mmCIF file of all heavy atoms in Angstrom:
data_model
loop_
_atom_site.group_PDB
_atom_site.id
_atom_site.type_symbol
_atom_site.label_atom_id
_atom_site.label_comp_id
_atom_site.label_asym_id
_atom_site.label_seq_id
_atom_site.Cartn_x
_atom_site.Cartn_y
_atom_site.Cartn_z
ATOM 1 N N ALA A 20 48.147 -283.745 121.856
ATOM 2 C CA ALA A 20 49.223 -284.566 122.406
ATOM 3 C C ALA A 20 50.612 -284.087 121.977
ATOM 4 O O ALA A 20 51.556 -284.125 122.784
ATOM 5 C CB ALA A 20 49.018 -286.030 122.019
ATOM 6 N N PRO A 21 50.798 -283.628 120.719
ATOM 7 C CA PRO A 21 52.133 -283.160 120.321
ATOM 8 C C PRO A 21 52.650 -281.948 121.091
ATOM 9 O O PRO A 21 53.837 -281.623 120.997
ATOM 10 C CB PRO A 21 51.942 -282.819 118.832
ATOM 11 C CG PRO A 21 50.809 -283.682 118.383
ATOM 12 C CD PRO A 21 49.889 -283.703 119.565
ATOM 13 N N MET A 22 51.809 -281.289 121.864
ATOM 14 C CA MET A 22 52.296 -280.154 122.639
ATOM 15 C C MET A 22 53.332 -280.590 123.665
ATOM 16 O O MET A 22 54.211 -279.808 124.043
ATOM 17 C CB MET A 22 51.129 -279.443 123.339
ATOM 18 C CG MET A 22 50.190 -278.697 122.406
ATOM 19 S SD MET A 22 50.998 -277.370 121.454
ATOM 20 C CE MET A 22 51.405 -276.214 122.759
ATOM 21 N N GLY A 23 53.265 -281.836 124.110
ATOM 22 C CA GLY A 23 54.269 -282.343 125.038
ATOM 23 C C GLY A 23 55.660 -282.273 124.451
ATOM 24 O O GLY A 23 56.637 -281.961 125.158
ATOM 25 N N ALA A 24 55.773 -282.551 123.153
ATOM 26 C CA ALA A 24 57.072 -282.488 122.490
ATOM 27 C C ALA A 24 57.612 -281.066 122.471
ATOM 28 O O ALA A 24 58.833 -280.855 122.557
ATOM 29 C CB ALA A 24 56.957 -283.028 121.061
ATOM 30 N N ARG A 25 56.741 -280.086 122.383
ATOM 31 C CA ARG A 25 57.175 -278.690 122.400
ATOM 32 C C ARG A 25 57.845 -278.347 123.728
ATOM 33 O O ARG A 25 58.831 -277.601 123.768
ATOM 34 C CB ARG A 25 55.977 -277.769 122.145
ATOM 35 C CG ARG A 25 55.510 -277.765 120.704
ATOM 36 C CD ARG A 25 56.292 -276.757 119.898
ATOM 37 N NE ARG A 25 56.062 -276.886 118.476
ATOM 38 C CZ ARG A 25 56.324 -275.935 117.588
ATOM 39 N NH1 ARG A 25 56.805 -274.776 118.000
ATOM 40 N NH2 ARG A 25 56.144 -276.121 116.310
ATOM 41 N N PHE A 26 57.311 -278.863 124.808
ATOM 42 C CA PHE A 26 57.934 -278.645 126.114
ATOM 43 C C PHE A 26 59.304 -279.319 126.159
ATOM 44 O O PHE A 26 60.289 -278.725 126.625
ATOM 45 C CB PHE A 26 57.035 -279.188 127.224
ATOM 46 C CG PHE A 26 55.908 -278.270 127.596
ATOM 47 C CD1 PHE A 26 54.776 -278.173 126.790
ATOM 48 C CD2 PHE A 26 55.965 -277.499 128.745
ATOM 49 C CE1 PHE A 26 53.734 -277.325 127.125
ATOM 50 C CE2 PHE A 26 54.935 -276.647 129.094
ATOM 51 C CZ PHE A 26 53.806 -276.556 128.278
ATOM 52 N N SER A 27 59.380 -280.564 125.666
ATOM 53 C CA SER A 27 60.657 -281.278 125.663
ATOM 54 C C SER A 27 61.710 -280.547 124.851
ATOM 55 O O SER A 27 62.891 -280.522 125.217
ATOM 56 C CB SER A 27 60.458 -282.691 125.100
ATOM 57 O OG SER A 27 59.620 -283.460 125.920
ATOM 58 N N GLU A 28 61.286 -279.939 123.751
ATOM 59 C CA GLU A 28 62.228 -279.264 122.856
ATOM 60 C C GLU A 28 62.874 -278.033 123.482
ATOM 61 O O GLU A 28 63.910 -277.580 123.004
ATOM 62 C CB GLU A 28 61.500 -278.895 121.558
ATOM 63 C CG GLU A 28 61.193 -280.107 120.674
ATOM 64 C CD GLU A 28 60.135 -279.835 119.632
ATOM 65 O OE1 GLU A 28 59.683 -278.672 119.507
ATOM 66 O OE2 GLU A 28 59.736 -280.793 118.942
ATOM 67 N N VAL A 29 62.278 -277.505 124.533
ATOM 68 C CA VAL A 29 62.898 -276.352 125.205
ATOM 69 C C VAL A 29 63.567 -276.765 126.512
ATOM 70 O O VAL A 29 64.061 -275.912 127.258
ATOM 71 C CB VAL A 29 61.872 -275.221 125.466
ATOM 72 C CG1 VAL A 29 61.240 -274.763 124.161
ATOM 73 C CG2 VAL A 29 60.820 -275.648 126.475
ATOM 74 N N GLY A 30 63.557 -278.074 126.800
ATOM 75 C CA GLY A 30 64.221 -278.571 127.999
ATOM 76 C C GLY A 30 63.324 -278.778 129.199
ATOM 77 O O GLY A 30 63.812 -279.065 130.302
ATOM 78 N N ALA A 31 62.019 -278.655 129.013
ATOM 79 C CA ALA A 31 61.062 -278.837 130.109
ATOM 80 C C ALA A 31 60.422 -280.222 130.011
ATOM 81 O O ALA A 31 60.400 -280.827 128.935
ATOM 82 C CB ALA A 31 59.985 -277.760 130.062
ATOM 83 N N PRO A 32 59.888 -280.751 131.107
ATOM 84 C CA PRO A 32 59.223 -282.062 131.056
ATOM 85 C C PRO A 32 57.985 -282.039 130.161
ATOM 86 O O PRO A 32 57.183 -281.104 130.227
ATOM 87 C CB PRO A 32 58.831 -282.311 132.519
ATOM 88 C CG PRO A 32 59.702 -281.416 133.330
ATOM 89 C CD PRO A 32 59.941 -280.207 132.482
ATOM 90 N N ALA A 33 57.832 -283.058 129.345
ATOM 91 C CA ALA A 33 56.674 -283.137 128.457
ATOM 92 C C ALA A 33 55.365 -283.161 129.245
ATOM 93 O O ALA A 33 54.332 -282.671 128.771
ATOM 94 C CB ALA A 33 56.775 -284.380 127.573
ATOM 95 N N GLU A 34 55.421 -283.695 130.474
ATOM 96 C CA GLU A 34 54.204 -283.816 131.281
ATOM 97 C C GLU A 34 53.627 -282.451 131.663
ATOM 98 O O GLU A 34 52.466 -282.351 132.046
ATOM 99 C CB GLU A 34 54.488 -284.606 132.561
ATOM 100 C CG GLU A 34 55.051 -286.003 132.362
ATOM 101 C CD GLU A 34 56.544 -285.983 132.064
ATOM 102 O OE1 GLU A 34 57.321 -285.374 132.833
ATOM 103 O OE2 GLU A 34 56.917 -286.563 131.026
ATOM 104 N N LEU A 35 54.440 -281.409 131.570
ATOM 105 C CA LEU A 35 53.949 -280.074 131.903
ATOM 106 C C LEU A 35 52.867 -279.597 130.935
ATOM 107 O O LEU A 35 52.113 -278.672 131.259
ATOM 108 C CB LEU A 35 55.092 -279.063 131.896
ATOM 109 C CG LEU A 35 55.916 -278.903 133.173
ATOM 110 C CD1 LEU A 35 56.954 -277.800 133.005
ATOM 111 C CD2 LEU A 35 55.023 -278.612 134.375
ATOM 112 N N ALA A 36 52.775 -280.217 129.768
ATOM 113 C CA ALA A 36 51.797 -279.763 128.776
ATOM 114 C C ALA A 36 50.372 -279.865 129.318
ATOM 115 O O ALA A 36 49.567 -278.942 129.146
ATOM 116 C CB ALA A 36 51.937 -280.581 127.487
ATOM 117 N N LYS A 37 50.059 -280.962 129.981
ATOM 118 C CA LYS A 37 48.705 -281.132 130.516
ATOM 119 C C LYS A 37 48.436 -280.153 131.651
ATOM 120 O O LYS A 37 47.350 -279.574 131.742
ATOM 121 C CB LYS A 37 48.499 -282.570 130.975
ATOM 122 C CG LYS A 37 48.438 -283.578 129.828
ATOM 123 C CD LYS A 37 48.117 -284.974 130.324
ATOM 124 C CE LYS A 37 47.990 -285.946 129.162
ATOM 125 N NZ LYS A 37 47.662 -287.317 129.615
ATOM 126 N N LEU A 38 49.423 -279.959 132.519
ATOM 127 C CA LEU A 38 49.257 -279.001 133.604
ATOM 128 C C LEU A 38 49.094 -277.592 133.053
ATOM 129 O O LEU A 38 48.272 -276.811 133.554
ATOM 130 C CB LEU A 38 50.462 -279.070 134.549
ATOM 131 C CG LEU A 38 50.463 -278.058 135.708
ATOM 132 C CD1 LEU A 38 49.229 -278.216 136.573
ATOM 133 C CD2 LEU A 38 51.745 -278.198 136.527
ATOM 134 N N TRP A 39 49.864 -277.263 132.032
ATOM 135 C CA TRP A 39 49.760 -275.942 131.417
ATOM 136 C C TRP A 39 48.357 -275.697 130.871
ATOM 137 O O TRP A 39 47.742 -274.644 131.129
ATOM 138 C CB TRP A 39 50.791 -275.783 130.298
ATOM 139 C CG TRP A 39 50.489 -274.637 129.390
ATOM 140 C CD1 TRP A 39 50.571 -273.314 129.678
ATOM 141 C CD2 TRP A 39 50.005 -274.716 128.043
ATOM 142 N NE1 TRP A 39 50.180 -272.558 128.600
ATOM 143 C CE2 TRP A 39 49.836 -273.393 127.578
ATOM 144 C CE3 TRP A 39 49.733 -275.777 127.182
ATOM 145 C CZ2 TRP A 39 49.379 -273.103 126.292
ATOM 146 C CZ3 TRP A 39 49.275 -275.498 125.909
ATOM 147 C CH2 TRP A 39 49.105 -274.166 125.470
ATOM 148 N N PHE A 40 47.814 -276.666 130.127
ATOM 149 C CA PHE A 40 46.495 -276.462 129.526
ATOM 150 C C PHE A 40 45.422 -276.370 130.606
ATOM 151 O O PHE A 40 44.505 -275.545 130.512
ATOM 152 C CB PHE A 40 46.176 -277.586 128.543
ATOM 153 C CG PHE A 40 44.954 -277.319 127.702
ATOM 154 C CD1 PHE A 40 44.886 -276.209 126.890
ATOM 155 C CD2 PHE A 40 43.864 -278.176 127.743
ATOM 156 C CE1 PHE A 40 43.755 -275.945 126.118
ATOM 157 C CE2 PHE A 40 42.736 -277.927 126.984
ATOM 158 C CZ PHE A 40 42.673 -276.812 126.171
ATOM 159 N N ALA A 41 45.554 -277.189 131.649
ATOM 160 C CA ALA A 41 44.592 -277.113 132.754
ATOM 161 C C ALA A 41 44.682 -275.765 133.457
ATOM 162 O O ALA A 41 43.651 -275.182 133.847
ATOM 163 C CB ALA A 41 44.849 -278.246 133.745
ATOM 164 N N THR A 42 45.895 -275.246 133.619
ATOM 165 C CA THR A 42 46.086 -273.930 134.247
ATOM 166 C C THR A 42 45.486 -272.831 133.390
ATOM 167 O O THR A 42 44.830 -271.906 133.897
ATOM 168 C CB THR A 42 47.583 -273.669 134.471
ATOM 169 O OG1 THR A 42 48.125 -274.697 135.298
ATOM 170 C CG2 THR A 42 47.818 -272.315 135.133
ATOM 171 N N LEU A 43 45.695 -272.923 132.090
ATOM 172 C CA LEU A 43 45.147 -271.946 131.150
ATOM 173 C C LEU A 43 43.620 -271.903 131.274
ATOM 174 O O LEU A 43 43.023 -270.823 131.386
ATOM 175 C CB LEU A 43 45.566 -272.343 129.733
ATOM 176 C CG LEU A 43 45.411 -271.360 128.571
ATOM 177 C CD1 LEU A 43 46.134 -271.914 127.343
ATOM 178 C CD2 LEU A 43 43.974 -271.095 128.222
ATOM 179 N N LEU A 44 42.991 -273.079 131.260
ATOM 180 C CA LEU A 44 41.534 -273.131 131.366
ATOM 181 C C LEU A 44 41.064 -272.612 132.721
ATOM 182 O O LEU A 44 40.111 -271.831 132.799
ATOM 183 C CB LEU A 44 41.043 -274.566 131.156
ATOM 184 C CG LEU A 44 41.194 -275.137 129.748
ATOM 185 C CD1 LEU A 44 40.715 -276.582 129.716
ATOM 186 C CD2 LEU A 44 40.425 -274.301 128.727
ATOM 187 N N ARG A 45 41.735 -273.023 133.787
ATOM 188 C CA ARG A 45 41.344 -272.571 135.126
ATOM 189 C C ARG A 45 41.335 -271.051 135.215
ATOM 190 O O ARG A 45 40.375 -270.450 135.714
ATOM 191 C CB ARG A 45 42.315 -273.136 136.162
ATOM 192 C CG ARG A 45 42.014 -272.730 137.610
ATOM 193 C CD ARG A 45 43.243 -272.880 138.467
ATOM 194 N NE ARG A 45 44.292 -271.914 138.118
ATOM 195 C CZ ARG A 45 45.549 -271.979 138.552
ATOM 196 N NH1 ARG A 45 45.914 -272.974 139.347
ATOM 197 N NH2 ARG A 45 46.439 -271.059 138.190
ATOM 198 N N ASP A 46 42.390 -270.430 134.724
ATOM 199 C CA ASP A 46 42.490 -268.982 134.842
ATOM 200 C C ASP A 46 41.513 -268.262 133.913
ATOM 201 O O ASP A 46 40.982 -267.196 134.258
ATOM 202 C CB ASP A 46 43.926 -268.533 134.588
ATOM 203 C CG ASP A 46 44.871 -268.995 135.705
ATOM 204 O OD1 ASP A 46 44.382 -269.525 136.715
ATOM 205 O OD2 ASP A 46 46.097 -268.832 135.550
ATOM 206 N N GLY A 47 41.263 -268.866 132.748
ATOM 207 C CA GLY A 47 40.233 -268.301 131.872
ATOM 208 C C GLY A 47 38.859 -268.375 132.500
ATOM 209 O O GLY A 47 38.069 -267.421 132.434
ATOM 210 N N PHE A 48 38.563 -269.505 133.146
ATOM 211 C CA PHE A 48 37.279 -269.652 133.830
ATOM 212 C C PHE A 48 37.166 -268.647 134.979
ATOM 213 O O PHE A 48 36.101 -268.080 135.217
ATOM 214 C CB PHE A 48 37.131 -271.073 134.397
ATOM 215 C CG PHE A 48 37.106 -272.176 133.373
ATOM 216 C CD1 PHE A 48 37.290 -273.482 133.763
ATOM 217 C CD2 PHE A 48 36.883 -271.918 132.031
ATOM 218 C CE1 PHE A 48 37.262 -274.510 132.842
ATOM 219 C CE2 PHE A 48 36.861 -272.940 131.091
ATOM 220 C CZ PHE A 48 37.041 -274.250 131.495
ATOM 221 N N ALA A 49 38.278 -268.463 135.714
ATOM 222 C CA ALA A 49 38.262 -267.542 136.847
ATOM 223 C C ALA A 49 37.983 -266.114 136.386
ATOM 224 O O ALA A 49 37.223 -265.370 137.028
ATOM 225 C CB ALA A 49 39.588 -267.613 137.599
ATOM 226 N N LEU A 50 38.585 -265.722 135.285
ATOM 227 C CA LEU A 50 38.332 -264.386 134.748
ATOM 228 C C LEU A 50 36.870 -264.233 134.347
ATOM 229 O O LEU A 50 36.240 -263.201 134.623
ATOM 230 C CB LEU A 50 39.254 -264.113 133.559
ATOM 231 C CG LEU A 50 40.723 -263.859 133.911
ATOM 232 C CD1 LEU A 50 41.583 -263.887 132.658
ATOM 233 C CD2 LEU A 50 40.877 -262.528 134.631
ATOM 234 N N THR A 51 36.323 -265.258 133.695
ATOM 235 C CA THR A 51 34.914 -265.211 133.312
ATOM 236 C C THR A 51 34.020 -265.106 134.539
ATOM 237 O O THR A 51 33.080 -264.317 134.575
ATOM 238 C CB THR A 51 34.542 -266.453 132.490
ATOM 239 O OG1 THR A 51 35.042 -266.297 131.157
ATOM 240 C CG2 THR A 51 33.032 -266.640 132.394
ATOM 241 N N ALA A 52 34.330 -265.892 135.573
ATOM 242 C CA ALA A 52 33.509 -265.885 136.785
ATOM 243 C C ALA A 52 33.535 -264.524 137.483
ATOM 244 O O ALA A 52 32.574 -264.158 138.159
ATOM 245 C CB ALA A 52 33.985 -266.972 137.744
ATOM 246 N N SER A 53 34.623 -263.786 137.293
ATOM 247 C CA SER A 53 34.746 -262.478 137.940
ATOM 248 C C SER A 53 34.324 -261.328 137.032
ATOM 249 O O SER A 53 34.500 -260.164 137.376
ATOM 250 C CB SER A 53 36.187 -262.260 138.420
ATOM 251 O OG SER A 53 37.098 -262.305 137.337
ATOM 252 N N GLY A 54 33.793 -261.672 135.850
ATOM 253 C CA GLY A 54 33.255 -260.640 134.970
ATOM 254 C C GLY A 54 34.188 -260.135 133.896
ATOM 255 O O GLY A 54 33.895 -259.140 133.242
ATOM 256 N N ASP A 55 35.316 -260.826 133.700
ATOM 257 C CA ASP A 55 36.280 -260.424 132.677
ATOM 258 C C ASP A 55 36.318 -261.450 131.552
ATOM 259 O O ASP A 55 35.787 -262.552 131.667
ATOM 260 C CB ASP A 55 37.668 -260.268 133.300
ATOM 261 C CG ASP A 55 37.703 -259.191 134.373
ATOM 262 O OD1 ASP A 55 37.350 -258.044 134.051
ATOM 263 O OD2 ASP A 55 38.055 -259.506 135.523
ATOM 264 N N ASN A 56 36.963 -261.092 130.448
ATOM 265 C CA ASN A 56 37.088 -261.998 129.308
ATOM 266 C C ASN A 56 38.525 -261.924 128.806
ATOM 267 O O ASN A 56 38.877 -261.064 128.011
ATOM 268 C CB ASN A 56 36.108 -261.618 128.196
ATOM 269 C CG ASN A 56 36.133 -262.619 127.051
ATOM 270 O OD1 ASN A 56 36.693 -263.706 127.159
ATOM 271 N ND2 ASN A 56 35.514 -262.255 125.937
ATOM 272 N N GLY A 57 39.371 -262.838 129.297
ATOM 273 C CA GLY A 57 40.780 -262.813 128.940
ATOM 274 C C GLY A 57 41.067 -263.465 127.603
ATOM 275 O O GLY A 57 40.272 -264.253 127.096
ATOM 276 N N SER A 58 42.206 -263.130 127.040
ATOM 277 C CA SER A 58 42.653 -263.708 125.781
ATOM 278 C C SER A 58 43.291 -265.072 126.020
ATOM 279 O O SER A 58 44.156 -265.222 126.884
ATOM 280 C CB SER A 58 43.674 -262.772 125.119
ATOM 281 O OG SER A 58 44.479 -263.460 124.187
ATOM 282 N N PHE A 59 42.866 -266.065 125.241
ATOM 283 C CA PHE A 59 43.425 -267.421 125.332
ATOM 284 C C PHE A 59 44.939 -267.383 125.176
ATOM 285 O O PHE A 59 45.679 -267.988 125.961
ATOM 286 C CB PHE A 59 42.797 -268.292 124.242
ATOM 287 C CG PHE A 59 43.210 -269.742 124.271
ATOM 288 C CD1 PHE A 59 42.455 -270.675 124.959
ATOM 289 C CD2 PHE A 59 44.326 -270.182 123.578
ATOM 290 C CE1 PHE A 59 42.820 -272.013 124.973
ATOM 291 C CE2 PHE A 59 44.705 -271.509 123.590
ATOM 292 C CZ PHE A 59 43.947 -272.434 124.290
ATOM 293 N N ALA A 60 45.421 -266.659 124.177
ATOM 294 C CA ALA A 60 46.866 -266.608 123.925
ATOM 295 C C ALA A 60 47.608 -265.911 125.052
ATOM 296 O O ALA A 60 48.678 -266.354 125.485
ATOM 297 C CB ALA A 60 47.142 -265.911 122.593
ATOM 298 N N ALA A 61 47.053 -264.815 125.546
ATOM 299 C CA ALA A 61 47.728 -264.072 126.615
ATOM 300 C C ALA A 61 47.769 -264.874 127.911
ATOM 301 O O ALA A 61 48.794 -264.917 128.602
ATOM 302 C CB ALA A 61 47.020 -262.740 126.849
ATOM 303 N N ILE A 62 46.660 -265.524 128.233
ATOM 304 C CA ILE A 62 46.628 -266.352 129.440
ATOM 305 C C ILE A 62 47.577 -267.536 129.286
ATOM 306 O O ILE A 62 48.315 -267.886 130.209
ATOM 307 C CB ILE A 62 45.203 -266.837 129.731
ATOM 308 C CG1 ILE A 62 44.283 -265.651 130.016
ATOM 309 C CG2 ILE A 62 45.189 -267.802 130.919
ATOM 310 C CD1 ILE A 62 42.811 -266.026 130.054
#
Side-chain angles (χ1 to χ4, degrees):
M22 290 299 293
R25 286 274 169 161
F26 280 77
S27 296
E28 288 162 5
V29 302
E34 303 80 53
L35 274 183
K37 290 185 177 181
L38 177 58
W39 164 70
F40 190 59
T42 301
L43 194 170
L44 291 178
R45 180 201 68 192
D46 292 353
F48 297 165
L50 287 168
T51 283
S53 60
D55 298 303
N56 185 12
S58 159
F59 184 93
I62 297 169

